[in-house]
Amino acid sequence: MPQLPQELIDAIIEDVPGSSLKACSLAATAFVTSSQRRLFCWMSLSDIPSYERTAILLASSPHLAKYFHFLALDIKVIPTEFVLLKLILAQLTELEHLSIIGDVMFGWNQLERNPCLIDILSLPTLTAFAVKDLGDVPSALISRALASFEQVVLSSVNIVDEEQDTEDWSSPGNLWHLVVVLDYDEMNAITSWALDAKRLQLLRQIKRLSLMSPAFPKLLFPQLIKLLSASSSTLQHLEIELNAPPPALPTLPSLTVLDLILDVEVAKNPARFNSILSDTVASMPHLEVLTIALLDAPLNGTARPQWTSHRPGQWADLDSTLTDLPNLREANLSLRNFGSEPQRYAVFVQYMQAHLPRAFDAGLIKFSSDFCFLHPMDRFARMFYPRVLVELKLRIIIYFLPVPTTDLSQLENL
């Protein structure tokens, strides 16, 4: 085939579906590099065989290591001082995003069982770090992550405050996006450093903050206020899950985007819905884009009740809250479902159009539907990958972790 510029080849491969990349790489020698770059950009190691296949792959084709940019590791399945993990990580010199999932029930620091996991945090190319279900993580390590990386996710992490943590964290680093996910037991990934004024300095330049919990515990509201106060001058995008009106929030003059996540049953109570929304946006004088994501998950394994009609007058206050926001140019109402009842979305749209007529007629409202549970690494992609429309996360979030990666057992010919 005629020699094409590499830029054109790269553009062609970008439009090839992931399922066809292997076949594409076999179609022409010129396609191999571009195909491999996409095939191995994301890698998820979730069991011992996947670690073994990856180690064999990198041993036979070491040039592929430079294509690994997003790596998700499940470490609860691996032994202490796991040699294959050490061999794999030693080759990943271009890694940008790392996520680690463990088992929060373990009563020890799982990262220390394999020191290579801590060593790789010093990799110069690494900019994003996510951890989930880890027990007894030293506070110094979390503080180091906040000081070192641009984006950090803490999901159900039990942080142990260390008296010997004498590092000076008074200077903000490069952190601009922080996600904190609490589990049902209110595992407290916030208080261990939110109560410490020196660590709050790490958040002075944050632009995006996501605070997620099945029910944001009231005991953490003081820490929420501290977090928002620390970043109030720079915070532009806030994502928070609430099922009750928050306390008075500090003024957030730079905030232009709010993602408010509610249980769908809360949204069916117009007075409560309006109270949560109005109390939340009261501190956001320059809010421009509002996304209200309604979690339409089954209740105890059974389907949600159908949307039923209310008198539109009951929704007048909520309608006014939306239309009276001075700078609001877009309100997205997103129904987050499990994909099992697609007809509920059409009913949801009709319901909201009927009960929020002023906002709808003003052209503010847009509707969307999404799955409550995406593949875990898809969440990681949506959060970290700039070319992907970010429409974040839902309950029991695993923002990072396994992407639907290529099955290594099918790549012998590459």
Side-chain angles (χ1 to χ4, degrees):
M1 61 180 292
Q3 184 64 41
L4 298 175
Q6 188 60 44
E7 293 81 2
L8 180 57
I9 294 175
D10 291 345
I12 293 172
I13 300 302
E14 280 296 321
D15 289 331
V16 174
S19 59
S20 302
L21 282 172
K22 182 187 175 184
C24 183
S25 70
L26 299 175
T29 303
F31 291 167
V32 172
T33 298
S34 298
S35 299
Q36 288 181 342
R37 187 179 293 115
R38 276 193 60 198
L39 277 167
F40 297 103
C41 180
W42 304 82
M43 190 57 62
S44 169
L45 307 182
S46 56
D47 53 27
I48 295 296
S50 66
Y51 282 91
E52 293 172 342
R53 291 195 298 268
T54 303
I56 294 172
L57 177 74
L58 294 178
S60 61
S61 303
H63 71 282
L64 296 177
K66 63 186 178 185
Y67 301 143
F68 283 48
H69 294 295
F70 295 74
L71 178 65
L73 301 174
D74 187 331
I75 65 171
K76 66 177 178 290
V77 301
I78 65 175
T80 301
E81 298 285 355
F82 190 34
V83 174
L84 294 182
L85 174 63
K86 186 175 181 178
L87 292 174
I88 292 168
L89 295 184
Q91 298 179 71
L92 305 186
T93 58
E94 302 297 323
L95 192 64
E96 298 175 7
H97 302 156
L98 174 66
S99 68
I100 301 172
I101 184 172
D103 189 334
V104 79
M105 301 307 295
F106 288 176
W108 59 81
N109 181 355
Q110 297 161 71
L111 298 179
E112 286 187 347
R113 296 174 61 203
N114 284 278
C116 58
L117 291 169
I118 298 176
D119 294 340
I120 198 172
L121 300 185
S122 300
L123 190 67
T125 57
L126 198 62
T127 62
F129 178 59
V131 286
K132 176 177 169 58
D133 289 346
L134 290 179
D136 294 344
V137 178
S139 59
L141 189 146
I142 298 300
S143 296
R144 175 183 165 192
L146 297 174
S148 303
F149 302 123
E150 297 179 6
Q151 298 172 281
V152 175
V153 178
L154 306 175
S155 179
S156 301
V157 177
N158 181 30
I159 301 174
V160 178
D161 209 3
E162 297 176 304
E163 293 183 3
Q164 66 269 29
D165 179 10
T166 58
E167 294 286 341
D168 180 11
W169 305 113
S170 59
S171 300
N174 298 317
L175 183 70
W176 67 269
H177 187 183
L178 172 66
V179 178
V180 177
V181 184
L182 306 179
D183 67 8
Y184 287 91
D185 295 326
E186 300 175 7
M187 285 193 66
N188 156 358
I190 296 179
T191 52
S192 62
W193 42 268
L195 290 175
D196 192 326
K198 66 179 182 181
R199 293 195 184 105
L200 278 177
Q201 299 302 310
L202 297 170
L203 306 181
R204 285 186 305 185
Q205 297 179 352
I206 197 170
K207 295 182 179 179
R208 180 167 186 157
L209 177 64
S210 302
L211 300 173
M212 318 297 292
S213 172
F216 201 90
K218 290 184 178 180
L219 65 90
L220 290 184
F221 274 136
Q223 281 66 53
L224 169 64
I225 302 302
K226 289 185 178 182
L227 287 171
L228 294 179
S229 297
S231 58
S232 61
S233 63
T234 59
L235 189 63
Q236 299 174 7
H237 190 156
L238 174 64
E239 181 185 24
I240 188 167
E241 181 176 352
L242 293 171
N243 288 315
L249 301 179
T251 300
L252 303 173
S254 299
L255 195 87
T256 58
V257 180
L258 171 66
D259 295 344
L260 180 61
I261 298 179
L262 303 171
D263 186 270
V264 73
E265 296 305 312
V266 173
K268 293 179 182 180
N269 182 326
R272 189 178 177 192
F273 191 171
N274 183 61
S275 180
I276 294 173
L277 178 60
S278 60
D279 286 4
T280 304
V281 302
S283 63
M284 306 168 186
H286 300 117
L287 186 65
E288 297 180 7
V289 179
L290 170 67
T291 295
I292 301 175
L294 305 179
L295 301 182
D296 197 27
L299 286 172
N300 299 320
T302 62
R304 290 280 192 178
Q306 293 297 317
W307 293 88
T308 56
S309 179
H310 290 277
R311 293 189 300 274
Q314 295 177 306
W315 288 70
D317 290 340
L318 180 63
D319 208 6
S320 296
T321 297
L322 290 173
T323 53
D324 292 345
L325 290 171
N327 298 300
L328 190 68
R329 54 182 172 80
E330 184 177 315
N332 302 301
L333 295 182
S334 180
L335 187 67
R336 306 295 173 84
N337 57 74
F338 278 65
S340 57
E341 297 180 273
Q343 71 277 9
R344 289 175 64 80
Y345 175 63
V347 177
F348 158 74
V349 172
Q350 294 174 357
Y351 182 95
M352 288 299 180
Q353 287 176 346
H355 292 84
L356 299 172
R358 286 182 58 194
F360 182 74
D361 291 343
L364 286 174
I365 294 182
K366 296 182 178 180
F367 295 97
S368 65
S369 180
D370 203 352
F371 292 110
C372 278
F373 291 102
L374 299 174
H375 190 285
M377 187 59 114
D378 286 344
R379 299 196 185 288
F380 189 74
R382 289 185 176 213
M383 187 183 127
F384 288 143
Y385 200 30
R387 288 182 297 179
V388 180
L389 176 64
V390 177
E391 185 175 292
L392 288 172
K393 310 47 170 182
L394 309 166
R395 180 168 312 190
I396 316 179
I397 303 172
I398 317 178
Y399 288 83
F400 41 100
L401 308 176
V403 71
T405 53
T406 309
D407 183 353
L408 292 173
S409 64
Q410 303 300 314
L411 296 176
E412 294 87 351
N413 295 327
L414 295 181

